Amino acid sequence: MNTRLPRWVWVGAITLAGIAGMVNAVGFLGFEHLAVSHLTGTTTQLGTALADGNWRAVRHLWAVLIAFSLGAMLSGLVIQDSTLRLGRRYGVALALEAALLLAAIPLFLRQQLNGALLAAMACGLQNAMVTTYSGAVVRTTHLSGMFTDLGIGLGHLLRGLPLPMRRLTLSGLIISGFLCGGILGTWGFRAFGYHALAIPAALTGATGIGYVIYRHHALRLLRRPGSTPDDSGAPEREHRREG
């Protein structure tokens, strides 16, 4: 894992992990009890439904898998790169995620599967966006990789090898962010029902606004005479190319 990432990536990854935890909690507590932020359990449920011939469940689970993938595809269309660049349109991707979450609320209220599908699409978009800007080393909508990194670190510790502390710290913070998001999502669902999705939508929008402000500030610094690319690795020509 490349943990020599700029501070804004760390903050963004932890915040987005919390958002994913909230969305997943609401989806799981909803009328279909579907996990929408990751696909491992959903794929297992699909296999079980196929074995049992439960075709209603098969349709619903396939739809969730497809929705998550479509969200990732949407992120690819917007960002269009696998390299960390400050000029990439992460603000647009975050705005789309917030819109998907808000649009899911009335559908959930009418107990329509499309609500869960929009939430899954939002999670797929977010996960693909984070993968893109982090070089495919940070995932915020599921934790298997983070726990794997922690286990590897413990193995190194037992062998007396140097501990990759930055790697372990980032993994621990993302896990903690997702867990806290799950707690907040549960509290929000019990207090506000499906309207609790407005909370992660607002946080996603705020994260997008914060990113746009940071981007403009960093690019303004880059335009100064004698300036060098910042820690995001975004050269000034990236800004000119994207307008």
Side-chain angles (χ1 to χ4, degrees), residues 96-242:
L96 288 173
E97 181 182 352
L100 288 169
L101 292 176
L102 288 175
I105 294 174
L107 298 174
F108 267 125
L109 290 172
R110 292 195 289 269
Q111 294 195 348
Q112 293 183 5
L113 178 65
N114 288 335
L117 299 184
L118 289 182
M121 186 179 295
C123 290
L125 190 156
Q126 181 197 120
N127 201 52
M129 179 192 69
V130 175
T131 298
T132 300
Y133 77 52
S134 63
V137 295
V138 175
R139 304 296 176 96
T140 59
T141 65
H142 58 274
L143 302 178
S144 298
M146 301 297 105
F147 277 108
T148 299
D149 288 335
L150 287 178
I152 291 171
L154 290 174
H156 287 178
L157 177 64
L158 293 174
R159 288 294 300 271
L161 299 173
L163 282 177
M165 290 306 300
R166 289 172 63 86
R167 175 179 183 173
L168 297 179
T169 299
L170 181 59
S171 298
L173 289 173
I174 289 175
I175 291 169
S176 299
F178 192 95
L179 176 61
C180 290
I183 295 171
L184 293 175
T186 301
W187 288 344
F189 184 80
R190 290 173 178 170
F192 309 112
Y194 292 115
H195 287 100
L197 283 176
I199 300 172
L203 290 174
T204 304
T207 303
I209 292 171
Y211 167 77
V212 170
I213 293 172
Y214 180 93
R215 174 193 174 190
H216 284 300
H217 173 71
L219 292 174
R220 192 162 55 244
L221 293 177
L222 282 175
R223 286 194 293 267
R224 293 179 180 176
S227 63
T228 58
D230 67 353
D231 59 356
S232 71
E236 187 174 2
R237 64 177 178 274
E238 178 72 12
H239 173 61
R240 291 198 297 268
R241 185 166 69 85
E242 291 196 0

